[in-house]
């Protein structure tokens, strides 16, 4: 069954005027990144948090920047360092190659905060990271609505305690603690201006497609599970158009919103490599 579906996916992409790539946490698994699937998956990645009994939703709570800044930056500093030193897997370059070859180009929509698409060479002007980016910072208070690059920020984490070592990142305006510009759980302090500008560019690009061009729009969704279904909802909102085809790549959560769409119950890299081979 997969071979027929792979060929259908290849044919849809070859015929597409434009390509939308939507990606969840599963996209990074083949690069060696954790996807935090369930408590056990999270604790395998962060054993010290198992000892504390802290789950991912509990750790991804902005209150830690007030209650225990060293622990908060231990978690996010470790992730920042990990993402900086992780090379995107070969599937990213295949997606970029397909997008670049489409007459209308394409756009990336992702819930991932890791910056892997930018590191793989995708145009930041054609990318919407809906939950923000760990590579940008904001004031934890916040004392102002500015967002700045974390490029020069270095965070040292004591691996034995999983606590960040002083000095912690600071806001240049008030001197208070800084935090990643990431949408966390129950987060009323997140500054969404940067993500909103990205969303507006995405909507402007979609609006700029003519009716005929929309009829050959393809959506390639990768590693987007049902636990936090932001990416799936976005893909399905586009796929509700009668001429848009959704290619859903997911080893587990591969249910489709309609019969004309394509399900590939596989990991991202394996699926992309097989589709590329079938594209000829």
């Amino acid at each position: 069954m997969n071979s027929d579906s792979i060929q259908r996916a290849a044919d849809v992409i070859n015929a597409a005027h434009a390509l939308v790539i939507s990606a969840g946490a599963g996209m990074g698994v083949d690069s060696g990144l954790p996807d935090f699937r369930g408590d056990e998956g999270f604790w395998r990645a962060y054993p010290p948090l198992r000892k504390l009994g802290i789950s991912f939703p509990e750790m991804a709570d902005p209150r830690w920047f007030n209650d225990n800044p060293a622990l908060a930056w231990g978690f996010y500093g470790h992730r920042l360092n990990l993402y900086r030193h992780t090379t995107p897997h070969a599937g990213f370059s295949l997606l970029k190659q397909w997008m670049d070859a489409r007459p209308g180009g394409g756009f990336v929509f992702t819930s991932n905060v890791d910056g892997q698409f930018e590191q793989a060479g995708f145009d930041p002007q054609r990318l919407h990271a809906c939950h923000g980016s760990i590579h940008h910072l904001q004031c934890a208070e916040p004392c102002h609505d500015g967002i700045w690059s974390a490029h020069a920020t270095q965070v040292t984490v004591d691996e034995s305690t999983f606590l960040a070592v002083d000095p912690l990142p600071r806001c240049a305006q008030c001197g208070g603690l800084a935090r990643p510009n990431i949408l966390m759980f129950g987060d009323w302090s997140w500054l969404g201006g940067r993500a909103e500008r990205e969303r507006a560019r995405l909507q402007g690009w979609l609006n700029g497609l003519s009716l005929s061009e929309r009829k050959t729009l393809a959506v390639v969704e990768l590693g987007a599970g049902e636990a936090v279904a932001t990416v799936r909802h976005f893909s399905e909102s586009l796929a509700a158009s009668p001429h848009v085809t959704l290619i859903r790549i997911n080893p587990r959560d591969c249910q489709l919103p309609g019969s004309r769409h394509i399900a590939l119950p596989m990991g991202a890299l394996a699926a992309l490599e097989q589709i590329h081979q079938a594209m000829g």
Side-chain angles (χ1 to χ4, degrees):
M1 181 184 73
N2 267 6
S3 60
D4 291 342
S5 298
I6 289 286
Q7 189 60 58
R8 282 184 62 211
D11 293 343
V12 165
I13 294 168
N14 273 332
H17 173 82
L19 188 64
V20 171
I21 297 163
S22 56
M27 180 62 182
V29 170
D30 293 304
S31 299
L33 296 177
D35 66 357
F36 303 151
R37 184 178 175 85
D39 287 346
E40 285 302 320
F42 177 60
W43 287 334
R44 277 195 299 272
Y46 294 101
L49 296 182
R50 178 194 293 271
K51 295 179 182 178
L52 297 173
I54 300 175
S55 68
F56 174 62
E58 291 168 335
M59 189 67 245
D61 185 320
R63 72 178 179 87
W64 292 108
F65 288 95
N66 289 320
D67 296 353
N68 193 335
L71 180 62
W73 267 113
F75 177 56
Y76 285 102
H78 182 276
R79 291 176 68 189
L80 176 62
N81 294 332
L82 173 65
Y83 297 153
R84 279 174 170 168
H85 296 102
T86 297
T87 300
H89 63 74
F92 283 90
S93 63
L94 293 179
L95 287 169
K96 186 176 184 299
Q97 182 178 331
W98 301 348
M99 182 185 287
D100 291 346
R102 308 277 69 76
F107 222 102
V108 175
F109 178 93
T110 181
S111 59
N112 298 337
V113 301
D114 52 31
Q116 288 272 287
F117 280 99
E118 294 96 324
Q119 192 172 340
F122 283 78
D123 181 359
Q125 297 298 307
R126 289 290 183 94
L127 191 149
H128 176 27
C130 63
H131 291 166
S133 168
I134 201 168
H135 302 286
H136 288 80
L137 303 178
Q138 64 167 83
C139 179
E141 188 60 31
C143 73
H144 65 110
D145 60 3
I147 299 167
W148 63 96
S149 172
H151 177 73
T153 299
Q154 300 296 324
V155 181
T156 300
V157 180
D158 184 330
E159 296 292 337
S160 64
T161 63
F162 202 61
L163 299 176
V165 178
D166 284 331
L168 303 180
R170 294 284 169 182
C171 170
Q173 290 207 18
C174 71
L177 194 68
R179 52 160 275 189
N181 181 233
I182 291 173
L183 178 62
M184 303 177 195
F185 291 96
D187 195 349
W188 298 101
S189 300
W190 182 57
L191 298 174
R194 183 172 179 273
E196 177 57 28
R197 290 189 291 275
E198 293 175 349
R199 188 207 63 77
R201 284 197 294 269
L202 168 58
Q203 193 58 54
W205 177 78
L206 287 169
N207 292 343
L209 296 175
S210 68
L211 182 60
S212 61
E213 290 168 346
R214 283 174 177 262
K215 288 183 178 179
T216 55
L217 179 66
V219 180
V220 180
E221 180 195 276
L222 307 110
E226 295 180 331
V228 180
T230 308
V231 173
R232 292 172 76 92
H233 290 160
F234 170 76
S235 301
E236 291 177 9
S237 71
L238 294 179
S241 173
H243 302 290
V244 175
T245 303
L246 167 62
I247 301 165
R248 173 163 281 162
I249 299 169
N250 194 304
R252 290 173 292 267
D253 301 331
C254 219
Q255 302 85 350
L256 292 171
S259 59
R260 76 173 181 280
H261 304 296
I262 302 166
L264 295 174
M266 308 169 65
L269 179 57
L272 295 173
E273 288 178 335
Q274 291 187 36
I275 292 170
H276 190 69
Q277 185 175 8
M279 287 171 69

